[in-house]
Amino acid sequence: MSKYVGAIDQGTTSTRFIIFDHTSNPVAAAQKEHEQIFPQPGWVEHDATEIWVRTQEVINAALAKAAIKPDEIAAIGITNQRETTVVWERATGKPISNALVWQDTRTSDICRELAEQGGQDRFRLKTGLPLATYFSGPKIQWILDNVDGARARAEAGKLLFGNMDTWLIWNLTGGPSGGVHVTDVTNASRTMLMNLNTLQWDAELLDAMDVPPKMLPQIKSSSEEYGQATGALRGVMIAGDLGDQQAALFGQTCFSSGEAKNTYGTGCFLLVNTGNAVVHSKHGLITTVAYRIGEQRTVYALEGSIAIAGALVQWLRDNLGIIEHAPDVEGLARSVHDNGGIYFVPAFSGLYAPYWKDNARGVIVGMTRYVNKGHIARATLEAAAYQTREIVEAMQKDTNTQISILKVDGGMVANELLMQFQADLLGIPTVRPSVPETTSLGAAYAAGLAAGFWENEDGLRKHWHQDKAWQPVLPKDQREHLYGEWLKAVTRTFDWVE
């Protein structure tokens, strides 16, 4: 009997391969970063070929580290940065351009043109999404319109589209030599091309964005057998596929309606399970597919998406040189007692939920000569907490329920100063699980369920354990004053780009 399940976690800044045992504990892992490419302001790209190379490297490294053979692995799950768009040649597997990352804003003109008929919510009833540069459909259109000969080749069936899950599954299962061209319902729901009710590509949406259906992957459930891997994982079934935030929801075992989690990674993403109901937001959130396990009914979610969270810490490190390593930000932030009266609104790619303003840009407000780099570090961390509170308030209005605890995960949850401030700002406990890699774990769960490695979701709940909880201690009047100042700061980002 197989002893393990593996998960490939292809994120915005790095790719990981983690191997889990039957008790959900990681037994081996490897991680490698890839280049962030910024050709001009607002543009963000990745080299998809580099990401495929990094994926193979981390698979080999983790297998070697634990001396695990492929036949000991029951199945592999994939989880990925969503929306990031790759178009490649069917015959060669060569991308025709760099991948357009979810943070990229070059499609703003396309989105504005689409919004001329029906406004920003033109497709919301079908897709759950506002017209925004965030999503894949306009990115595909931009590539086909701006790469020489791309549209004609796509219409002839010579090009394929995929988000990073599709790109990796296609390559893992053989690439040009029989690679399986599939995606799952969670990733498809972020393209703005899938109908949330039918779970199929929608002809009206494809026509509006001028996307040839021949280039699209087949939409599958999040947990089923897609195809066998080649290479280092030869013979292992690829059997799980979830967008990263849905994978984190699944890994946190938020299987019941009303259960929520917040992931603090490159961005910040708060999801609440809404069961089998498609709930349309009236407060700036998006409606998305949470997961679909095999032939079971589809589970949906409301999501609040924040573009910049951990990426702001990286910006302090890479662009300003204020810190040498990302974890150093906590010590620097603790060198001061508060934010010194400054607020950092990181609208580098515009504002996502709940505002959806692609013409906003980042600001630091409240600057005086008193402010030092410690205050900037503290304001950097606090920005993630303030943005999260805006999402929580919108979510409570949409669902007419109160969130009593917030399950948290992602790289930033190791930062205890941030976790305490988050609890203070929300007035509810924040809870960190014992296995922090919940995104990878969610993909492993989906694959393991398809392979029979785990029996059902109820059994998975038993594997979730609390590592630490933070209780709110900040008086309510102070909390509300700070939050009011933040909301004022946010308005200063509006309409910066003409």
Side-chain angles (χ1 to χ4, degrees), residues 262 264 268 270 306 384-392 406 422:
N262 197 28
Y264 300 77
C268 217
L270 202 160
I306 297 164
Y386 284 121
Q387 291 178 100
T388 296
R389 172 157 172 185
E390 291 192 81
I391 300 303
V392 167
L406 186 65
Q422 188 68 86

Side-chain angles (χ1 to χ4, degrees), residues 447-481:
L449 288 172
F453 188 76
W454 289 295
E455 186 175 351
N456 53 43
E457 289 102 308
D458 287 340
L460 298 178
R461 282 189 185 276
K462 299 173 184 176
H463 296 169
W464 190 94
H465 300 287
Q466 176 181 306
D467 171 47
K468 186 170 182 177
W470 289 265
Q471 302 295 328
V473 295
L474 190 69
K476 183 178 180 180
D477 58 340
Q478 292 184 39
R479 177 171 78 224
E480 297 309 312
H481 171 73

Side-chain angles (χ1 to χ4, degrees), residues 258 392-393 395-397 399-405 426 428:
V392 167
E393 290 193 345
M395 203 161 272
Q396 291 179 155
K397 291 173 183 174
T399 60
N400 199 30
T401 59
Q402 294 294 308
I403 294 174
S404 58
I405 66 166
L426 293 176
I428 61 174

Side-chain angles (χ1 to χ4, degrees), residues 76-409:
I76 298 293
I78 309 284
T79 183
N80 58 290
Q81 52 167 318
R82 305 167 303 173
E83 298 97 16
T84 295
T85 299
V86 189
V87 176
W88 68 95
E89 295 174 344
R90 184 191 297 268
T92 67
K94 181 180 178 181
I96 66 170
S97 70
N98 281 337
L100 272 57
V101 179
W102 55 275
Q103 299 160 319
D104 189 285
T105 63
R106 76 186 68 183
T107 58
S108 57
D109 287 344
I110 293 173
C111 292
R112 275 193 284 272
E113 289 172 10
L114 288 167
E116 287 176 359
Q117 299 179 30
Q120 193 175 26
D121 290 335
R122 175 179 173 182
F123 302 127
R124 190 183 279 270
L125 282 178
K126 278 192 173 183
T127 67
L129 313 173
L131 276 165
T133 60
Y134 186 16
F135 307 109
S136 307
K139 297 181 193 294
I140 302 172
Q141 182 179 342
W142 190 94
I143 292 173
L144 296 184
D145 288 343
N146 288 275
V147 176
D148 287 346
R151 183 164 296 283
R153 286 193 286 165
E155 291 171 350
K158 295 181 179 180
L159 298 181
L160 299 177
F161 153 75
N163 299 120
M164 282 297 171
D165 64 315
T166 300
W167 169 245
L168 291 184
I169 292 172
W170 188 80
N171 279 294
L172 283 163
T173 55
S177 303
V180 179
H181 190 220
V182 297
T183 189
D184 91 302
V185 287
T186 68
N187 279 293
S189 74
R190 313 301 293 225
T191 62
M192 205 184 285
L193 299 173
M194 188 192 82
N195 187 308
L196 276 181
N197 297 299
T198 66
L199 304 179
Q200 297 297 323
W201 304 121
D202 187 275
E204 178 201 2
L205 300 171
L206 296 179
D207 183 64
M209 281 168 255
D210 209 7
V211 174
K214 289 181 180 179
M215 68 188 303
L216 299 176
Q218 183 179 2
I219 300 174
K220 299 277 194 175
S221 80
S222 310
S223 176
E224 63 176 279
E225 295 184 345
Y226 309 120
Q228 286 189 340
T230 59
L233 292 171
R234 181 174 298 278
V236 181
M237 188 62 67
I238 311 297
D241 181 10
L242 289 154
D244 53 6
Q245 302 313 319
Q246 288 92 335
L249 188 77
F250 204 71
Q252 287 270 35
T253 67
C254 294
F255 302 142
S256 299
S257 182
E259 292 185 315
K261 69 88 200 174
N262 197 28
T263 298
Y264 300 77
T266 300
C268 217
F269 302 89
L270 202 160
L271 276 74
V272 62
N273 183 322
T274 62
N276 304 124
V278 177
V279 177
H280 289 286
S281 175
K282 296 179 180 178
H283 299 93
L285 305 181
I286 62 178
T287 306
T288 195
V289 176
Y291 55 87
R292 187 184 186 200
I293 304 303
E295 296 299 318
Q296 296 179 26
R297 292 180 68 190
T298 302
V299 176
Y300 295 89
L302 279 172
E303 175 178 324
S305 314
I306 297 164
I308 303 292
L312 191 54
V313 177
Q314 293 174 324
W315 184 80
L316 289 188
R317 180 192 67 189
D318 299 340
N319 292 50
L320 299 189
I322 287 179
I323 53 176
E324 186 175 354
H325 305 287
D328 298 343
V329 72
E330 182 170 5
L332 183 56
R334 287 186 182 276
S335 70
V336 293
H337 295 297
D338 56 30
N339 64 14
I342 66 168
Y343 294 82
F344 197 161
V345 186
F348 293 173
S349 300
L351 289 170
Y352 286 11
Y355 300 100
W356 298 107
K357 289 182 177 289
D358 61 17
N359 60 357
R361 287 297 179 269
V363 299
I364 301 176
V365 300
M367 294 287 284
T368 64
R369 291 208 45 192
Y370 169 74
V371 171
N372 61 39
K373 60 184 180 181
H375 298 114
I376 293 174
R378 198 172 187 106
T380 293
L381 295 178
E382 291 181 353
Y386 284 121
Q387 291 178 100
T388 296
R389 172 157 172 185
E390 291 192 81
I391 300 303
V392 167
E393 290 193 345
M395 203 161 272
Q396 291 179 155
K397 291 173 183 174
D398 275 333
T399 60
N400 199 30
T401 59
Q402 294 294 308
I403 294 174
S404 58
I405 66 166
L406 186 65
K407 289 184 175 181
V408 298
D409 55 69

